[in-house]
Amino acid sequence: MALAQEKTYTIADIYALPDGERAELIDGQIYSMAPPSRKHQDIAGELFGTIREYIKSNNGSCRPYIAPFAVFLAENDKNYVEPDISVICDPHKLHDNGCIGAPDWIIEIVSSSSRSMDYYKKLFKYRTAGVREYWIVDHERNLVTVYDFQNSSAANYTFTDDIPVNIYPGFSINLSKLDI
């Protein structure tokens, strides 16, 4: 007996979704996205504002973006993600539709529906795509896991720790000092 073939989707299928429906595409598989909670939005907004202000005040050339912002990780039509926060330092990667290629820094804020995606699937995908730094912010666990892919290291921090930003030496974020 032949096994049923799993359907492979493309970015065209993402763009064909009904208005208001959000999903990501990883290796040709569609993953629906639940609307974010208020706490999720508070954390994302505060982190984005802190990062944007740091970059501006230091005349940085990188650009931060907050979801929904399209990131096309590979040069194919089988991978499309919307990280909560993306920081892109190469202006050639920025196009009208989003970012083509790996952002330098990605932050994902965990929700109960995204836990396995953020900790496993996206971790692998972001590392292999060339993301330099990946933060997983887990407010239920009061934990931030930081992956510094450039130096092949990972570390866990609480919300009360000063969390160093590896792509910006000298910059750190303490979530307990943000309005969340």
Side-chain angles (χ1 to χ4, degrees):
M1 172 184 240
L3 294 175
Q5 292 291 325
E6 194 172 279
K7 181 167 173 46
T8 301
Y9 296 92
T10 67
I11 291 168
D13 294 306
I14 292 291
Y15 282 117
L17 292 172
D19 285 345
E21 188 173 330
R22 289 181 54 213
E24 293 179 307
L25 181 69
I26 297 177
D27 296 327
Q29 296 304 301
I30 291 180
Y31 298 91
S32 295
M33 298 171 67
S37 69
R38 184 185 58 79
K39 183 74 168 177
H40 182 284
Q41 291 295 86
D42 286 343
I43 294 169
E46 288 293 317
L47 280 171
F48 175 78
T50 300
I51 294 163
R52 183 185 62 216
E53 285 309 309
Y54 178 84
I55 293 170
K56 279 185 172 185
S57 66
N58 288 280
N59 297 316
S61 59
C62 300
R63 299 287 307 258
Y65 294 91
I66 194 165
F69 178 74
V71 173
F72 305 90
L73 286 174
E75 301 237 352
N76 63 36
D77 63 350
K78 308 269 187 300
N79 291 283
Y80 167 98
V81 291
E82 292 183 3
D84 291 309
I85 299 171
S86 303
V87 177
I88 296 99
C89 300
D90 180 353
H92 296 101
K93 290 182 178 180
L94 294 171
H95 297 271
D96 287 343
N97 292 336
C99 176
I100 310 294
D104 294 87
W105 180 18
I106 287 178
I107 299 175
E108 293 284 9
I109 299 156
V110 174
S111 64
S112 56
S113 64
S114 73
R115 186 169 300 284
S116 66
M117 285 289 291
D118 295 335
Y119 278 104
Y120 302 106
K121 242 182 222 318
K122 287 184 177 180
L123 170 64
F124 175 77
K125 203 67 185 166
Y126 292 159
R127 184 182 62 207
T128 58
V131 171
R132 293 168 48 200
E133 185 165 353
Y134 176 39
W135 287 24
I136 302 173
V137 178
D138 192 332
H139 61 88
E140 289 178 9
R141 295 180 178 164
N142 193 37
L143 183 72
V144 179
T145 304
V146 175
Y147 293 93
D148 177 359
F149 296 134
Q150 290 184 121
N151 297 305
S152 301
S153 68
N156 288 319
Y157 300 90
T158 69
F159 278 30
T160 59
D161 292 326
D162 290 331
I163 306 168
V165 178
N166 297 299
I167 69 165
Y168 285 114
F171 177 36
S172 64
I173 299 173
N174 186 316
L175 275 76
S176 69
K177 295 179 181 174
L178 301 180
D179 189 19
I180 54 174

